[in-house]
């Protein structure tokens, strides 16, 4: 019976691979040879799927973190789970910023030569909205319990979940505490059932994402003098994704190819949706179903990583700030690059979960130093593609951290001779 189930599961897996390939091919065709009806349908589908992902991801973050903290206890192993998650997150983010710094020093991107058509102003690219970034941090502390869910404020939802989870853990009445935990567990199960339904029709969403993206970039990107800057950003992301993170897994005695293959669906969705938060439900499903990560690990580590583990953002912030400062006349040397590895890491960890968060955060940092930010208007058309690459890297890094933490938990359980609390 087991062999039959395995064969059936393999058959289903190959069937879905066929669906994914067909979705990619149809999406590319629709994007390269666009029609009003074809692109309209693709955009409609992609918008619907992004809404579905967002609908599920915010409650998932809140419920999983709350439930995990409520049941973790205050044991040394629980503190170890926190410590390992934060340590691996900071380590990978520092490495991402360091790779960008080294690549910047090696390539030494040339300054952008502005055409005589006049400089773009801040209002041309909407950078006046960067003031909302500061207000975002104030709004982390909500005055309405439903507001974070309505507004999609991930950090605020995370704060509420942490406080509520700890409060549940300290409830004196065991019966009441277990009742609350049972309700949260039931709600979590409902969310995961919905996620499985979404995954079933995911090829349709991939078609929509790919068609819209291919149509957008089919005319080609005009990089001009920004080619070397673009090379540093993309190169840093690719080195982090295919060299640094695989080495990190190998050191932890984990097969990076198997891990990457298992997370492929989530990475695809992250790339085309440009939202690691919206991709979270798919990331958790792939981590548990394909890579065998324990639910008690994935449902704690991945929501945390989605909020603070921003490898792609760290590389973008360092490269962009250095490039604009260089264009403003600053001399970029080793000392400045090393200093900005730390700043970019902290900025990436505190990056708000808002659209184009890294872009506006870079603008805020540059403005605070009195550096002209008009050049960001030239980078703006390129950023859409950079954002896709960065988001995929962020989700890949989240997956690597979760896999490493899971391996540590397994090793601890083997060493203790049985199951232990995470």
């Amino acid at each position: 019976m087991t062999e039959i189930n395995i064969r059936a599961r393999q058959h289903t897996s190959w069937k879905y691979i066929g669906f994914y390939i067909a979705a990619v091919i149809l999406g590319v065709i629709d994007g390269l040879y666009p029609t009003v009806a074809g692109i309209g349908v693709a955009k409609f589908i992609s918008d619907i799927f992004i809404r579905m992902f967002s609908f599920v991801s915010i409650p998932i973050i809140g419920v999983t973190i709350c439930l995990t903290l409520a049941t973790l206890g205050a044991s040394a192993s629980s503190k170890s789970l926190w410590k390992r998650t934060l340590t691996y997150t900071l380590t990978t983010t520092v490495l991402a910023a360091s790779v960008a710094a080294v690549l910047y020093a090696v390539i030494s991107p040339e300054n952008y030569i502005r055409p005589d058509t006049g400089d773009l102003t801040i209002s041309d690219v909407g950078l006046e909205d960067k003031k909302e970034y500061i207000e975002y941090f104030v709004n982390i502390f909500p005055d309405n319990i439903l507001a974070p869910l309505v507004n999609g404020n991930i950090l605020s939802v995370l704060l509420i979940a942490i406080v509520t989870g700890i409060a549940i853990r300290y409830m004196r009445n065991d019966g009441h505490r277990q009742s609350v935990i049972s309700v949260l567990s039931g709600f979590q199960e409902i969310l995961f059932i919905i996620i499985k339904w979404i995954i079933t029709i995911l090829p349709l969403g991939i078609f929509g994402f790919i068609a819209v993206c291919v149509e957008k970039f089919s005319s080609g990107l005009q990089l001009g003098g920004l080619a070397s800057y673009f090379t540093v950003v993309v190169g840093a992301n690719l080195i982090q994704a295919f060299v640094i993170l695989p080495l990190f897994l190998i050191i932890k005695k984990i097969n990076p190819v198997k891990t990457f293959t298992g997370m492929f669906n989530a990475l695809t969705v992250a790339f085309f949706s440009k939202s690691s938060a919206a991709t979270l439900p798919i990331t958790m499903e792939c981590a548990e179903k394909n890579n065998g990560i324990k639910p008690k690990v994935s449902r704690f580590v991945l929501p945390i990583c989605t909020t603070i583990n921003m490898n792609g953002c760290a590389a973008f912030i360092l490269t962009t700030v250095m490039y604009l400062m260089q264009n403003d006349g600053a001399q970029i040397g080793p000392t400045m690059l090393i200093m900005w590895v730390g700043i970019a890491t902290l900025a990436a960890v505190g990056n708000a979960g808002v659209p184009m968060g890294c872009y506006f955060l870079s603008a805020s940092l540059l403005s605070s130093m009195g550096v002209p930010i008009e050049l960001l208007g030239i980078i703006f058309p390129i950023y859409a593609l950079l954002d896709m690459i960065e988001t995929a890297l962020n989700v890949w890094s989240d997956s690597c951290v979760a896999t490493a933490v899971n391996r540590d938990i397994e090793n601890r359980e083997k060493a203790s001779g049985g199951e232990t609390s995470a």
Side-chain angles (χ1 to χ4, degrees):
M1 187 66 179
T2 303
E3 185 177 350
I4 294 175
N5 289 336
I6 293 175
R7 289 181 178 177
R9 193 172 293 178
Q10 290 175 341
H11 175 73
T12 302
S13 176
W14 280 109
K15 181 177 67 175
Y16 274 102
I17 291 175
F19 287 151
Y20 290 137
I21 294 174
V24 171
I25 294 174
L26 292 175
V28 170
I29 293 174
D30 191 21
L32 290 177
Y33 306 98
T35 62
V36 175
I39 292 299
V41 169
K43 190 174 188 309
F44 174 79
I45 292 174
S46 64
D47 288 345
I48 291 295
F49 267 83
I50 289 176
R51 284 176 173 269
M52 287 194 297
F53 292 147
S54 299
F55 171 79
V56 178
S57 63
I58 299 299
I60 279 288
I61 290 175
V63 172
T64 52
I65 291 296
C66 182
L67 187 59
T68 302
L69 289 176
T71 56
L72 267 179
S75 64
S77 58
S78 300
K79 296 177 182 178
S80 176
L81 182 59
W82 275 97
K83 182 179 178 180
R84 292 176 191 277
T85 301
L86 294 177
T87 299
Y88 295 156
T89 292
L90 289 175
T91 299
T92 56
T93 307
V94 168
L95 289 173
S98 300
V99 169
V102 171
L103 211 57
Y104 194 97
V106 172
I107 294 179
S108 298
E110 299 177 357
N111 286 351
Y112 177 78
I113 301 176
R114 292 177 173 82
D116 296 330
T117 54
D119 294 337
L120 292 177
T121 63
I122 293 177
S123 59
D124 289 331
V125 292
L127 293 182
E128 70 277 4
D129 294 334
K130 65 186 176 63
K131 294 180 180 178
E132 296 180 3
Y133 194 91
I134 299 175
E135 296 175 2
Y136 180 87
F137 286 96
V138 176
N139 292 332
I140 290 176
F141 302 90
D143 56 0
N144 186 319
I145 193 171
L146 296 179
L149 294 173
V150 174
N151 299 327
N153 191 327
I154 297 174
L155 289 179
S156 190
V157 171
L158 185 66
L159 176 64
I160 294 174
I162 291 174
V163 172
T164 304
I166 295 175
I168 294 172
R169 193 175 68 195
Y170 284 99
M171 289 177 66
R172 294 182 179 180
N173 190 311
D174 290 338
H176 291 170
R177 182 171 63 251
Q178 292 302 321
S179 296
V180 174
I181 291 175
S182 296
V183 171
L184 290 173
S185 298
F187 185 51
Q188 185 185 59
E189 186 176 351
I190 291 173
L191 290 173
F192 276 98
I193 290 173
I194 294 174
I195 291 170
K196 290 180 180 179
W197 291 346
I198 294 176
I199 291 176
T200 301
I201 58 173
L202 186 58
L204 190 61
I206 290 177
F207 158 76
F209 291 141
I210 291 180
V212 171
C213 291
V214 171
E215 190 274 336
K216 183 181 297 183
F217 297 120
S218 60
S219 59
L221 292 172
Q222 302 300 321
L223 298 181
L226 295 176
S228 53
Y229 158 82
F230 184 82
T231 301
V232 173
V233 178
V234 175
N237 278 266
L238 293 179
I239 291 174
Q240 181 73 6
F242 297 109
V243 179
I244 303 300
L245 291 176
L247 285 176
F248 168 72
L249 291 177
I250 291 172
I251 291 173
K252 303 297 295 183
K253 298 181 179 179
I254 299 169
N255 187 335
V257 176
K258 182 179 179 181
T259 304
F260 184 89
T261 304
M263 300 305 303
F264 185 76
N265 288 352
L267 298 177
T268 302
V269 173
F271 183 84
F272 289 106
S273 68
K274 296 183 289 185
S275 174
S276 55
T279 310
L280 179 60
I282 311 298
T283 307
M284 295 174 70
E285 175 74 9
C286 290
E288 295 175 14
K289 184 177 179 180
N290 299 339
N291 288 350
I293 296 180
K294 297 177 181 293
K296 64 183 179 183
V297 174
S298 69
R299 299 177 191 185
F300 175 78
V301 175
L302 288 174
I304 291 289
C305 285
T306 297
T307 308
I308 65 174
N309 190 32
M310 302 286 183
N311 287 193
C313 189
F316 175 82
I317 290 173
L318 183 140
T319 307
T320 302
V321 171
M322 292 296 94
Y323 188 63
L324 266 69
M325 289 177 65
Q326 175 183 302
N327 274 266
D328 192 44
Q331 296 296 320
I332 308 299
T335 302
M336 182 176 290
L337 285 171
I338 292 173
M339 179 183 69
W340 271 94
V341 166
I343 296 174
T345 298
L346 294 176
V349 169
N351 179 45
V354 295
M356 299 182 64
C358 292
Y359 188 82
F360 289 127
L361 180 54
S362 299
S364 298
L365 290 170
L366 290 163
S367 295
S368 67
M369 296 182 294
V371 178
I373 59 176
E374 285 77 11
L375 187 56
L376 280 175
I378 309 297
I379 295 173
F380 183 77
I382 308 173
Y383 184 75
L385 180 57
L386 295 179
D387 198 15
M388 296 166 73
I389 298 172
E390 290 166 13
T391 305
L393 172 59
N394 290 339
V395 173
W396 172 226
S397 179
D398 295 348
S399 306
C400 292
V401 170
T403 306
V405 173
N406 187 73
R407 176 57 58 89
D408 291 343
I409 297 300
E410 290 179 341
N411 291 339
R412 165 173 278 186
E413 290 174 355
K414 290 178 181 178
S416 63
E419 184 76 15
T420 63
S421 63

